[in-house]
Amino acid sequence: MSTVMDAKQREVFLADVHVGVLSVASASGAPKAPLTVPVWYRYEPGGDVVCVMGRDSRKARLIEIAGEFSLCAQEEVEPYRYVSVQGPATVVHDGGNMAEHRALAHRYLEPDAAEHYLSGADFDLSATVTVRMRPSRWYSADFSRMPPVGGSDHETAPPSPQHVRSPESVDR
């Protein structure tokens, strides 16, 4: 039984609320690990992954240089699931897009907390950029789809490498 999610399942999962882990290639010529950081994001099935970040942040600069990034969203409790996407990205120097900020704040925070965050004294909308990534490569796993081990409905088999490396490409 495959643990790979179908297209609809992975898009619904990615659209749900998860803190994403963004990864982007290092800019230097020497081999280095990529920059990997948690981010708020939003996604609607069939659309782009959208993040808002500081205009002068290292991640924004590296995304502009690389022209792409990857994002992983995961379920941190059993049954473990994840969706990872990668694709071309653009950094939009929009001087601060309040609609995007508001959508993200309300996605991740309770209404009062979101408004408090948006009206904070250190919140400088003009110092941000909107980043849009078109998913072109998908990886996913849903370990709830694995057969039980030892006859118990509560145990699952440990993930094996072939389950984790089950990519699906999507041409859009």
Side-chain angles (χ1 to χ4, degrees):
M1 173 178 278
S2 174
T3 61
V4 176
M5 294 180 201
D6 66 31
K8 183 177 180 180
Q9 291 169 325
R10 67 183 183 217
E11 289 196 89
V12 167
F13 183 87
L14 189 61
D16 201 2
V17 178
H18 303 278
V19 172
V21 179
L22 181 149
S23 189
V24 60
S26 174
S28 73
K32 284 187 174 180
L35 173 67
T36 304
V37 294
V39 294
W40 287 356
Y41 74 93
R42 72 173 184 79
Y43 173 77
E44 294 178 18
D48 293 341
V49 172
V50 180
C51 304
V52 177
M53 60 192 66
R55 176 184 62 229
D56 298 324
S57 68
R58 184 168 180 225
K59 61 186 170 273
R61 289 192 313 268
L62 290 174
I63 291 168
E64 273 195 304
I65 292 166
E68 65 181 0
F69 69 91
S70 62
L71 181 108
C72 181
Q74 65 184 4
E75 193 71 46
E76 296 182 5
V77 296
E78 289 187 65
Y80 300 112
R81 298 180 298 161
Y82 75 87
V83 169
S84 181
V85 293
Q86 62 189 60
T90 57
V91 177
V92 182
H93 293 269
D94 52 11
N97 183 329
M98 183 50 94
E100 289 294 351
H101 277 278
R102 186 168 302 288
L104 285 171
H106 283 275
R107 176 176 166 83
Y108 287 94
L109 302 171
E110 295 295 325
D112 289 345
E115 290 306 316
H116 185 264
Y117 166 78
L118 292 167
S119 64
D122 62 347
F123 184 78
D124 182 4
L125 184 63
S126 67
T128 65
V129 292
T130 303
V131 178
R132 304 182 79 80
M133 182 256 282
R134 169 60 63 172
S136 60
R137 185 111 173 136
W138 294 78
Y139 300 86
S140 66
D142 179 349
F143 294 107
S144 70
R145 297 163 45 126
M146 295 180 69
V149 175
S152 169
D153 290 338
H154 300 292
E155 297 179 30
T156 57
S160 63
Q162 73 264 22
H163 290 113
V164 175
R165 290 187 285 244
S166 298
E168 289 186 26
S169 295
V170 174
D171 297 320
R172 295 188 195 197

